Amino acid sequence: KPPPIAPPSITPSQPIVKPPPADPGVPTDAGIPPSYTFGGLYKDGRVVVAFWDGKREEAALLDPSTGAGEFVGYLGSLYLWQDQLVYDGRTNELYALGLDAHNVANVYTLDLGTSAVRTVVQAAPPDQRDGGQPSYTAGGVTADGHLLVAYWTGVREAVAFLDTATGEATDIGAFDGLYMWSDQFFYDEAKHMAYALGQDKDETQHVYSFSLDSGKTQITDLDMSNGKINYDIGGFTSSGQLVVGYWNGPAQTEEIGLMDPSTAKIAVVGTLKGLMWWSGQMAYDRNTGRLVAFG
């Protein structure tokens, strides 16, 4: 999205979109690169990414210092999706959620070491009341290999564990009050906390903090003052601060800050110099304090 322009509100039941019709894997004469989706950071600091190569969704390791990518495999029969991609460094597996060409919703698991892919059909969500295909947003992966996902039931944004081996999901609660959002959802395994950015029915922007231990949601107003719009989450620090990016309208820059989710107060740490157009693709390395963005 272009940072200077506030995007329209998106309901949690937004449709899954098609991949790009062109082949972004081969740069054009104008030098246009692939449209990458970030899944996380590899152990050596490279970014685990996916992109449409014209026929399939390819996964690669992208070196942020050179822009060079190393092929690691294909995400099976994945054809339509909402860029739901999560990398688990503990198992060296990459997970994707989406549809194949026959409109079947699957969980795709790619082993980065062997390039082997496991494809499992997604079962119907436990509490989806408006029918249709499963449409999960993935916030991260648990220590035992389950994806923490959110989905719109028709009345609320439920939070669930998705078993990547069976495609079955188990509800554990909901983001109370969350009504419209753009899939800004991250899970902190160490603190058993999930965070979402979105708005309520009155169109007030909030940080939603969901505790997996208590099942309760804390809601804090986002700072929309002084032209701040289009918040994105890039990760979180070891102390639990959210690494966020947002467009500073008056300054015409994408600012990066550390947000306390309990107060939504932000300590500005810098800007993504020169960034004008992007889709919020960021990855944060807690070990080095380095943030990588694509746009």
Side-chain angles (χ1 to χ4, degrees), residues 25-256:
V26 179
T28 67
D29 292 339
I32 299 175
S35 180
Y36 292 117
T37 297
F38 283 12
L41 287 172
Y42 199 58
K43 57 187 176 182
D44 60 6
R46 288 182 292 176
V47 186
V48 183
V49 301
F51 66 96
W52 187 251
D53 70 1
K55 297 180 180 178
R56 292 181 287 183
E57 193 71 26
E58 180 175 334
L61 299 177
L62 184 68
D63 187 335
S65 63
T66 66
E70 176 188 345
F71 171 80
V72 292
Y74 293 104
L75 291 172
S77 60
L78 178 63
Y79 182 64
L80 311 176
W81 70 331
Q82 289 175 288
D83 298 338
Q84 295 307 306
L85 189 69
V86 176
Y87 173 63
D88 187 351
R90 290 164 295 201
T91 63
N92 202 29
E93 292 179 320
L94 183 63
Y95 303 106
L97 305 176
L99 307 180
D100 62 20
H102 302 289
N103 212 38
V104 176
N106 297 303
V107 180
Y108 299 92
T109 304
L110 172 66
D111 186 318
L112 270 60
T114 65
S115 298
V117 179
R118 181 178 72 237
T119 303
V120 176
V121 175
Q122 293 180 37
D127 188 29
Q128 189 168 34
R129 308 175 193 184
D130 55 1
Q133 289 284 7
S135 184
Y136 293 118
T137 297
V141 60
T142 65
D144 59 1
H146 288 76
L147 289 179
L148 189 73
V149 297
Y151 70 97
W152 184 246
T153 68
V155 296
R156 64 176 190 162
E157 192 69 30
V159 180
F161 289 129
L162 179 62
D163 190 327
T164 59
T166 66
E168 298 278 350
T170 304
D171 282 354
I172 59 172
F175 282 114
D176 294 333
L178 178 60
Y179 184 66
M180 305 180 81
W181 69 334
S182 56
D183 296 340
Q184 288 302 309
F185 175 38
F186 263 75
Y187 173 55
D188 186 343
E189 166 73 13
K191 296 184 178 298
H192 286 191
M193 294 292 297
Y195 305 100
L197 305 180
Q199 63 187 48
D200 58 24
K201 287 187 177 181
D202 295 326
E203 299 186 2
T204 301
Q205 301 283 339
H206 302 292
V207 183
Y208 297 84
S209 304
F210 174 78
S211 170
L212 274 67
D213 295 330
S214 69
K216 295 181 179 180
T217 303
Q218 177 182 332
I219 303 173
T220 308
D221 290 351
L222 267 178
D223 180 7
M224 307 301 291
S225 65
N226 301 320
K228 297 184 181 71
I229 60 172
N230 294 352
Y231 279 90
D232 291 291
I233 304 175
F236 43 84
T237 68
S238 56
S239 62
Q241 294 172 300
L242 298 181
V243 181
V244 298
Y246 57 89
W247 184 248
N248 182 326
Q252 290 290 287
T253 57
E254 187 72 25
E255 288 187 345
I256 300 299

